[in-house]
């Protein structure tokens, strides 16, 4: 039976925030703040995240521990899926295009800002079907069948990889829910307010993407 997921989110984030060991020799990427405390704060402020956002996805970028390298999908307040993912390798690399950079998946709270059915990465010279961009060039997208075996561990250049079937489903649901007037939540999880203390709203996709873990 599916359970109401607001309490699930708090439970899940509490456990998974303890997980994760960085690969030796590379910088750590910290959460902007402890995500469970952010969820508590939003609730205290009267902001029901799962009511405001019909789709909430929580991607855990940790290398090890409870919930590591999984994505939880919450639709209309209920957890519907848990999928294996691959996030960034968290190391300095040279891409196929010759660009050198740190292959990290940025933690934080994000909105999709661009959806591309068939995207081609010039950086990595590979197809990225069902791309949901949420932070610069970082997207949730389908991986190719040759990389399915890597799902469940860090393996990407910074994006969040999914099985093609899962990426297609998520892409379709985000498109289906579309855009609306939603609260502005900053990447660090705080709510934007005007000078009177009122929550600022803006027209954005009615989907919230949370990347947590270290």
């Amino acid at each position: 039976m599916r359970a109401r997921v607001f309490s699930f989110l708090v439970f899940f984030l509490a456990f998974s925030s303890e997980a994760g060991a960085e690969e030796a020799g590379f910088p750590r990427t910290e959460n902007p703040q402890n995500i469970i405390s952010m969820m508590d704060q939003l609730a205290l402020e009267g902001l029901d995240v799962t009511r405001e956002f019909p789709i909430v996805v929580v991607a855990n970028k940790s290398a090890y521990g409870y919930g590591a390298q999984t994505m939880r999908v919450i639709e209309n307040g209920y957890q519907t899926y848990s999928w294996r993912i691959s996030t960034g390798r968290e190391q300095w690399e040279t891409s196929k295009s010759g660009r050198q950079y740190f292959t990290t998946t940025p933690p934080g709270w994000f909105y999709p800002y661009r959806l591309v059915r068939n995207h081609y990465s010039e950086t990595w010279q590979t197809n990225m079907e069902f791309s949901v961009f949420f932070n610069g060039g970082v997207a949730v997208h389908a991986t190719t069948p040759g990389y399915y075996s890597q799902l469940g561990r860090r393996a990407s250049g910074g994006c969040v990889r999914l099985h093609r079937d899962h990426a297609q489903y998520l892409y379709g649901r985000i498109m289906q829910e579309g855009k609306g007037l939603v609260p502005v939540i900053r990447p660090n999880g705080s709510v934007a307010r005007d000078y009177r203390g009122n929550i600022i709203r803006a027209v954005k996709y009615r989907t919230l993407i949370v990347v947590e873990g270290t």
Side-chain angles (χ1 to χ4, degrees):
M1 180 181 293
R2 297 184 303 177
R4 183 72 181 172
V5 80
F6 185 81
S7 59
F8 160 79
L9 269 174
V10 175
F11 176 84
F12 168 69
L13 293 171
F15 275 82
S16 56
S17 63
E18 298 174 0
E22 285 299 312
E23 297 171 4
F26 299 105
R28 293 177 60 84
T29 303
E30 302 290 351
N31 282 320
Q33 281 182 283
N34 183 284
I35 290 180
I36 185 172
S37 68
M38 296 182 205
M39 294 293 291
D40 290 341
Q41 184 61 40
L42 291 175
L44 289 173
E45 294 177 11
L47 190 63
D48 185 339
V49 172
T50 60
R51 185 180 296 277
E52 297 279 1
F53 298 94
I55 302 171
V56 179
V57 296
V58 182
N60 188 316
K61 62 175 276 183
S62 297
Y64 308 101
Y66 182 87
Q69 295 298 305
T70 61
M71 174 183 286
R72 304 296 176 103
V73 182
I74 296 95
E75 300 179 69
N76 299 310
Y78 294 91
Q79 181 193 337
T80 52
Y81 297 101
S82 177
W83 297 325
R84 291 184 301 154
I85 61 175
S86 288
T87 62
R89 290 178 288 268
E90 306 290 331
Q91 61 189 26
W92 287 101
E93 296 184 44
T94 301
S95 69
K96 292 181 179 179
S97 67
R99 176 189 170 198
Q100 188 176 44
Y101 73 108
F102 195 72
T103 54
T104 187
T105 302
W109 298 57
F110 307 99
Y111 306 87
Y113 74 89
R114 184 163 65 102
L115 276 64
V116 183
R117 170 62 180 80
N118 290 296
H119 180 75
Y120 182 79
S121 170
E122 296 292 344
T123 301
W124 291 99
Q125 297 175 9
T126 188
N127 292 321
M128 293 167 49
E129 283 192 283
F130 303 109
S131 287
V132 178
F133 288 91
F134 63 89
N135 187 318
V138 178
V140 177
H141 68 82
T143 193
T144 53
Y147 292 98
Y148 286 170
S149 62
Q150 295 182 353
L151 294 172
R153 66 178 187 269
R154 288 176 171 170
S156 84
C159 289
V160 180
R161 294 178 182 172
L162 287 170
H163 188 285
R164 186 182 185 278
D165 292 346
H166 301 159
Q168 182 177 12
Y169 175 82
L170 184 62
Y171 183 94
R173 286 290 291 117
I174 294 172
M175 289 285 287
Q176 182 181 31
E177 292 296 341
K179 294 183 178 181
L181 198 62
V182 295
V184 174
I185 302 178
R186 300 186 180 96
N188 67 0
S190 63
V191 180
R193 294 179 179 274
D194 63 20
Y195 71 97
R196 293 180 177 175
N198 298 315
I199 294 175
I200 297 173
R201 292 176 177 267
V203 176
K204 297 178 181 288
Y205 279 102
R206 300 175 68 227
T207 296
L208 190 63
I209 298 173
V210 181
V211 179
E212 56 104 34
T214 56

